[in-house]
Amino acid sequence: MSRASDFHVLIIGGGATGAALAHDLALRGFRVTLVERGEVTSGTTGRHHGLLHSGARYAVRDPESARECIEENFILRRIAPDSFELNDGLFVAITEEDEAYLEPFLEGCETCGIPTQVLTREQALQMEPNLNPKVRVAVRVPDGTMDAMRLPLRFLATALSNGAVVRPFTEVVDLLRRNGTVYGARVRNHITGREEDLLADVVVNAAGPWAGRIAAMAGVDVPVRPSPGVLVAVEGRWTNMVINRLHPAGDGDIIVPQRGLSIIGTTSWVVEDPDHLDVPPDHVRRMFEKGAEMVPAVGHARLWAAWSAARPLVGSREASTGRELSRTFKCFDHASEGVEGFVTIVGGKATTARAMAETTADVVCRKVGVSAPCRTREVTLLPHTAYYDLLTTQGF
Ligand SMILES: Cc1cc2nc3c(=O)[nH]c(=O)nc-3n(C[C@H](O)[C@H](O)[C@H](O)COP(=O)(O)OP(=O)(O)OC[C@H]3O[C@@H](n4cnc5c(N)ncnc54)[C@H](O)[C@@H]3O)c2cc1C
């Protein structure tokens, strides 16, 4: 059996997925280099709501993703203490139609192992006085608030402490290929302007919504659908819990309290190029309108910021809005298409990045004949503040 330290793995992408993978592979003993074209977390990861999903949002229509979320939610609380506000979430029914969704919602949560507590209107309003007084019923679930950037920094800090190399502002401009094998990447350092070749035994494409572009450099196709959504931050922390609408996932049906702000999200459409994302004004308006149906005060709160980010969803090009696509993830070993040395991981959520990394690292181990079990369920992550300290020791 080979030793992990005999192999060098190059990870493309410094979002949640690449960060968790660098941690997993470094713990298993691999030599790891992660390259990121901008600052780490500058892709989709640094721009999400900051919701630690319980999975309840997906429990009825996307149970695979719901199970992944609840399992990872509990693991992350253990391995990343103090990274989350354990504020829970409420799914609120405002209309009769919402109330009719209660039964399938509770059934779905039970099937997926998501704990629930049904609350009367009075109980819900006592917990969250700014809820719409028309609320009919609410369900409490173990959602939480996280800082979108700090959790990946904790994965990266721990990876650095275990010997991984992290190179921000380093863009892959091409993959190195010989006889059907990817053996590294040509990278451009955006600080020095210099290009060089980085050699690797396995290259992992963790480029999120850009994964299709990286895969094309290897001559393979990955079914990734960049699916943007608009997020709106308003001044004021109008609730302490995460508020969700009790209905099938739709526009403007999540409000996440983040420090003194409230983040309202989101919309969903599909694009070809994740580098060109609009913030359509009608989407911003819709966030205010839909958010106000759950918490009226957000409807006239002052706009702090509005932005968009693209989900890296796995699915067919026929998808029209992205809502119909699962939030689960998929790992592709491109050996099945005749390309050796190259693996892609796409889809999922920031909440499920650790699980995505575990699956991908298992694939890497199988490819190179290494037996090294995953340890990321147990190892406590270093604090996010260790990241820049440790990076400095590498010369950045
Ligand atoms: C609007 C919105 C709200 C969301 N809210 C939540 C939420 O509340 N909770 C949750 O759990 N999930 C949420 N998600 C999903 C979550 O944000 C994503 O699933 C996750 O961040 C994807 O991480 P990633 O690492 O796969 O991709 P990314 O974070 O996009 O990372 C890929 C990285 O690859 C880099 N890259 C691209 N090309 C190259 C290259 N050539 N060379 C080097 N680097 C390259 C990019 O710069 C980028 O940093 C949300 C998504 C959206 C769009």
Side-chain angles (χ1 to χ4, degrees), residues 101-163:
Y101 194 65
L102 178 65
E103 205 182 303
F105 179 79
L106 291 174
E107 264 174 35
C109 287
E110 193 182 347
T111 310
C112 298
I114 302 164
T116 53
Q117 181 191 6
V118 179
L119 304 174
T120 62
R121 171 180 178 278
E122 289 70 28
Q123 288 170 320
L125 283 168
Q126 200 174 17
M127 278 182 187
E128 289 296 354
N130 284 327
L131 281 181
N132 185 338
K134 289 189 186 143
V135 58
R136 303 167 77 95
V137 65
V139 184
R140 184 178 188 164
V141 297
D143 283 341
T145 295
M146 65 167 133
D147 181 300
M149 294 166 200
R150 289 181 177 177
L151 181 62
L153 291 186
R154 293 188 74 162
F155 281 122
L156 287 171
T158 318
L160 285 167
S161 76
N162 287 310

Side-chain angles (χ1 to χ4, degrees), residues 167-212:
R167 296 183 56 174
F169 305 105
T170 303
E171 177 165 7
V172 168
V173 291
D174 207 355
L175 293 175
L176 305 176
R177 290 191 287 162
R178 193 190 303 121
N179 303 328
T181 297
V182 173
Y183 65 95
R186 178 106 188 132
V187 298
R188 182 177 301 138
N189 180 322
H190 286 297
I191 297 171
T192 62
R194 274 203 294 276
E195 288 197 3
E196 64 180 304
D197 290 343
L198 295 180
L199 306 187
D201 298 291
V202 180
V203 174
V204 181
N205 171 12
W210 295 270

Side-chain angles (χ1 to χ4, degrees), residues 13 15-17 36-37 43-45 48-49 51 172 209 214 309 311 348 350-351:
T17 309
E36 162 56 51
R37 69 178 186 169
T44 302
T45 296
H48 69 70
H49 294 90
L51 168 55
V172 168
I214 300 291
R311 305 166 186 87
T351 302

Side-chain angles (χ1 to χ4, degrees), residues 12-19 35-53 146 170-173 206-211 213-214 217 227-231 254 256 266-267 307-312 345-352 356:
I12 306 171
T17 309
V35 290
E36 162 56 51
R37 69 178 186 169
E39 178 55 287
V40 294
T41 77
S42 60
T44 302
T45 296
R47 292 186 262 168
H48 69 70
H49 294 90
L51 168 55
L52 174 69
H53 280 279
M146 65 167 133
T170 303
E171 177 165 7
V172 168
V173 291
W210 295 270
R213 209 181 277 175
I214 300 291
M217 294 177 187
S227 167
V230 163
L231 290 169
I254 302 177
V256 182
T266 175
T267 52
W307 66 97
S308 54
R311 305 166 186 87
I345 173 71
V346 275
K349 310 290 300 174
T351 302
T352 61
M356 297 167 73

Side-chain angles (χ1 to χ4, degrees), residues 12-32:
I12 306 171
T17 309
L21 181 59
H23 167 54
D24 188 319
L25 289 170
L27 262 188
R28 294 191 205 215
F30 284 92
R31 286 182 289 123
V32 177

Side-chain angles (χ1 to χ4, degrees), residues 3-16:
R3 285 180 317 169
S5 58
D6 293 337
F7 298 97
H8 180 219
V9 184
L10 176 65
I11 301 169
I12 306 171

